[in-house]
Amino acid sequence: MAWLRTRRGYTLLAIVAVVALFGAVGWYKLLREVPVRYASDVDHFKYGSVGVEPASGLPYDIWAVLPDVFPEKIPSGGYAAFGFLSDKDHGTPIGLPVETVGFQRVGLNCGLCHIGSVRVSPSAPRQLLIGAPNSTLDIQRYFRFLFDAAADPRFNPDLLIAAIERKQPVSIIDRALLRYLIIPQMKTGLLAQQAQLWWMDTVPDWGPGRVDPFNPAKVQLVHLPWDGSVGAARMVPLWNWNARTNFGLHRDGLNTSLTEIFLNSAIGNGATNRTIDLAGVTRLQNWIGGLKAPPFPFPMDKSLAARGEPIFRASCAECHAFDGAKAGQPIPIAAVGTDRSRFDSWTTQAVAGFNGLSDYSWHYSHFRKTSGYMAQALDGLWARAPYLHNGSVPSLADLLRVPTNRPKTFYAGYDVYDPVRVGFVSNGPDAAKQGTKFDTSLPGNGNGGHLFGTNLPDGDKAALLEYLKTL
Ligand code: HEC
Ligand code: HEC
């Protein structure tokens, strides 16, 4: 090893040392993972990672200053204005986990869309409904805000670093990483996402409480050409899965394996085969098996509800009771007659594409094309408003009316409850201010079909409505 002691040898050693140092700093600053574990299942559901952050999480420090840098692009109130829910004692909204992967990154998880909220009056505190569909979150507006910010010339290192420095000191190393790596990469990444979701602007907005669950994945994961379909669907509850043995999954029952849908949901949310937290996902899957729906938070008329039960048994139970012969099964689209856009957006090409994916350590084999929408068990029904797969009917009272008498427009996304009509308040000045207009004449938003119960005498409808509160 005499050559090592030559001048060239020393130079080489110095270079190796410097490279190793940079490597170590780089690893520490960009890749070092510090998983956060939550002891309670509810906290894990609200704040735990399913593996999205290492793959597609956004740099937290930049994310946190975007509302300050682009105030004209976001309603007052910052991120909360998009309808995120939050706990007082936690820094970020529910469903947006922050994990350290080199630096802090904010992603999203299942609790984002599968935790709802209710207020029993406009001045009452917001109660969280664990496992209920989120009715306030407008995730499309959140995405559009991020995309618009990234496309703006003011999304540049000078302005963003200055905004971060107004909140906290930034070291020289962090400044360099932000300037030359993190900010440019965040911009490129968001613009690439926007380019892949270009089709979103050619179809009606999702609005609060809805998301198009499969079109993004059809284009981005399965690489199918955009087919022009409108797939927006109302979020669904995640509870009582132990009682849903052999139930089809998703609005059209497009899969029959809860495990496959859990894996696919994590991937759809932005995890990859390398980053997905399989233990964390399995923990959630086991936990929602026994999670119970929240009870109706207002007084009920027990004797009226008791009169409604036999009406439910006679007209609805076949499809909607846990022991109903058709419960958990798809009902042919012609028999239910509701808007068929979401049903048509899931195609045989998509079935083949998903079942043929070879990117993961698992293979899907349970995706299928069915004949219509699922007849779901109606536990926690009161908390699922607005109703039907596309959220086109604001209350249960409205669903029991013939389609021509259902509201043609209303406001979705306001979480004050109307215990009489059984649904969230969907008109009036407060709903108009805090909600978003839902127009049933737009593609995918049709409120027709599901005529079951619409021809019952008024007295029977009142009794049935009271019974539906007890589910
Ligand atoms: C951005 C919102 C969003 C996020 C985040 C989300 N989901 Fe969902 N989820 C939905 C919507 C919307 C549906 C119903 C869509 C449809 O079928 O049309 C759904 C359906 C489901 C279903 C089918 C339930 C049923 O009754 O058929 C399961 C299971 C599920 N999600 C699990 C998960 C898991 C697990 C995660 C986290 C890894 C997750 N979801 C994250 C929006 C979301
Ligand atoms: C033949 C089967 C069938 C019968 C009978 C039936 N339904 Fe349905 N129901 C469905 C299907 C299928 C859907 C899903 C339709 C959609 O989302 O477009 C549905 C959806 C619903 C929803 C919306 C659930 C949600 O999460 O948004 C409610 C509420 C409902 N039904 C109540 C009733 C009541 C009350 C009765 C009895 C008066 C009844 N149904 C009778 C098949 C049935």
Side-chain angles (χ1 to χ4, degrees):
M1 294 287 203
W3 67 271
L4 249 185
R5 270 175 255 117
T6 63
R7 178 182 287 207
R8 268 177 64 200
Y10 284 122
T11 315
L12 200 70
L13 262 188
I15 291 173
V16 169
V18 169
V19 168
L21 184 70
F22 268 103
V25 172
W27 170 83
Y28 186 86
K29 287 283 183 188
L30 299 171
L31 299 171
R32 165 191 54 118
E33 293 197 25
V34 189
V36 185
R37 297 273 173 254
Y38 292 91
S40 99
D41 290 323
V42 177
D43 286 346
H44 175 54
F45 189 43
K46 286 177 175 172
Y47 300 114
S49 172
V50 290
V52 169
E53 294 69 35
S56 56
L58 299 175
Y60 175 77
D61 290 343
I62 307 172
W63 177 87
V65 299
L66 292 182
D68 303 336
V69 178
F70 303 101
E72 79 290 354
K73 297 188 196 295
I74 193 167
S76 64
Y79 285 118
F82 297 127
F84 292 107
L85 302 172
S86 53
D87 285 319
K88 268 200 214 68
D89 55 356
H90 200 92
T92 44
I94 290 170
L96 300 185
V98 179
E99 292 262 310
T100 300
V101 184
F103 48 92
Q104 287 199 309
R105 305 183 192 214
V106 55
L108 49 91
N109 71 11
C110 321
L112 180 63
C113 300
H114 295 290
I115 295 179
S117 65
V118 66
R119 283 179 286 162
V120 293
S121 74
S123 56
R126 180 168 266 165
Q127 296 170 35
L128 292 178
L129 305 170
I130 304 300
N134 187 318
S135 340
T136 55
L137 172 68
D138 193 335
I139 196 170
Q140 191 178 38
R141 278 177 75 203
Y142 171 59
F143 289 157
R144 283 184 171 144
F145 166 72
L146 297 172
F147 297 158
D148 285 353
D152 194 298
R154 285 174 296 149
F155 195 102
N156 67 49
D158 291 339
L159 279 179
L160 291 171
I161 294 173
I164 298 172
E165 277 188 314
R166 280 195 285 277
K167 297 196 167 190
Q168 72 213 39
V170 183
S171 71
I172 293 180
I173 295 182
D174 286 343
R175 191 188 306 263
L177 289 173
L178 280 166
R179 177 173 297 276
Y180 298 110
L181 214 61
I182 300 176
I183 293 174
Q185 271 192 8
M186 179 171 175
K187 187 176 177 95
T188 319
L190 283 172
L191 293 180
Q193 267 284 313
Q194 182 183 36
Q196 294 208 301
L197 291 171
W198 64 270
W199 52 267
M200 257 182 10
D201 298 336
T202 67
V203 292
D205 288 349
W206 302 346
R210 301 200 313 172
V211 58
D212 186 330
F214 286 99
N215 271 323
K218 274 162 58 185
V219 176
Q220 280 165 257
L221 295 179
V222 182
H223 307 298
L224 291 173
W226 163 244
D227 58 17
S229 65
V230 176
R234 175 81 184 99
M235 291 163 194
V236 294
L238 283 190
W239 51 46
N240 269 337
W241 270 90
N242 290 346
R244 290 181 151 77
T245 335
N246 299 325
F247 270 43
L249 287 125
H250 277 287
R251 292 293 185 172
D252 50 350
L254 53 69
N255 191 300
T256 49
S257 155
L258 187 60
T259 302
E260 287 193 9
I261 291 303
F262 263 66
L263 293 170
N264 181 65
S265 298
I267 296 292
N269 292 169
T272 63
N273 187 45
R274 186 184 64 78
T275 66
I276 188 170
D277 181 349
L278 290 173
V281 172
T282 308
R283 177 180 175 189
L284 284 179
Q285 187 180 334
N286 292 335
W287 176 67
I288 62 142
L291 182 66
K292 292 285 173 269
F296 190 67
F298 298 92
M300 282 180 280
D301 181 337
K302 292 238 168 67
S303 65
L304 186 60
R307 281 211 284 123
E309 182 166 5
I311 303 168
F312 180 81
R313 281 268 134 219
S315 324
C316 324
E318 177 195 18
C319 291
H320 289 305
F322 276 104
D323 59 1
K326 296 180 179 166
Q329 308 306 318
I331 305 298
I333 189 81
V336 61
T338 51
D339 189 298
R340 57 177 298 149
S341 305
R342 160 68 185 82
F343 171 73
D344 288 334
S345 76
W346 179 252
T347 57
T348 49
Q349 289 90 326
V351 173
F354 277 77
N355 282 338
L357 281 172
S358 56
D359 302 347
Y360 316 118
S361 57
W362 61 88
H363 283 278
Y364 300 118
S365 57
H366 292 75
F367 281 103
R368 58 178 184 168
K369 177 69 192 169
T370 68
S371 60
Y373 291 117
M374 278 271 297
Q376 256 299 348
L378 299 182
D379 44 344
L381 181 62
W382 72 271
R384 303 187 192 187
Y387 297 98
L388 294 182
H389 71 276
N390 56 0
S392 60
V393 181
S395 71
L396 290 179
D398 292 316
L399 188 65
L400 290 176
R401 303 167 86 185
V402 289
T404 45
N405 290 339
R406 295 173 185 165
K408 293 182 177 45
T409 60
F410 61 92
Y411 293 93
Y414 182 54
D415 65 355
V416 172
Y417 208 78
D418 176 349
V420 178
R421 304 198 66 75
V422 195
F424 296 103
V425 173
S426 61
N427 52 43
D430 291 340
K433 198 160 147 244
Q434 292 180 46
T436 303
K437 192 170 186 180
F438 188 101
D439 183 348
T440 59
S441 70
L442 295 176
N445 285 4
N447 66 351
H450 199 282
L451 303 179
F452 313 105
T454 55
N455 60 358
L456 289 169
D458 284 352
D460 285 5
K461 276 190 192 174
L464 176 61
L465 194 60
E466 203 64 18
Y467 175 72
L468 293 175
K469 297 176 182 174
T470 69
L471 296 175

